[in-house]
Amino acid sequence: MTDRIDLGLKDATTASCACCAAPASTAIEIPAGGDTAVAEEILVSGMTCAHCVSNVTEELSGIDGVQNVTVDLHAGGTSRVTIHSASPLDAVQVKAAVEEAGYTVTTIPA
């Protein structure tokens, strides 16, 4: 019989995944590369942990002009994502980036 190895993972009782067991709200921020002229907020559903935040941040950071992305994670609910850029971003590109990461944009300002 094989001995069981305790990896320190916890069973998730909320929508969080067991690997991260993220608290109900967390924020991850990438340092800005310069002066930010525009800050746009979107609402994203489907994120449950810090890994999810990392995926969305990486995809949004790949859009030309994006300088900083801040995510206020609400595990299993709707998370607020703030995108700082030098100029206004194309809503279609923003939505496509979030969907590429595997999540759903619920609101994009007009």
Side-chain angles (χ1 to χ4, degrees):
M1 180 149 165
T2 305
D3 291 332
R4 184 173 182 177
I5 298 172
D6 183 9
L7 298 175
L9 301 177
K10 299 177 182 172
D11 289 329
T13 56
T14 64
S16 300
C17 64
C19 67
C20 298
S25 179
T26 187
I28 293 181
E29 187 172 327
I30 294 176
D35 293 333
T36 300
V38 179
E40 299 179 33
E41 286 189 352
I42 62 172
L43 299 178
V44 177
S45 64
M47 292 190 288
T48 60
C49 66
H51 186 257
C52 300
V53 171
S54 177
N55 287 341
V56 169
T57 300
E58 181 179 342
E59 289 295 331
L60 289 172
S61 295
I63 298 173
D64 286 339
V66 171
Q67 298 171 337
N68 185 21
V69 177
T70 304
V71 178
D72 182 16
L73 177 66
H74 293 280
T78 303
S79 301
R80 182 174 308 278
V81 178
T82 306
I83 308 163
H84 302 276
S85 60
S87 60
L89 299 173
D90 179 21
V92 173
Q93 281 186 313
V94 170
K95 183 177 179 184
V98 172
E99 289 175 351
E100 179 68 25
Y103 307 97
T104 304
V105 175
T106 58
T107 304
I108 294 182

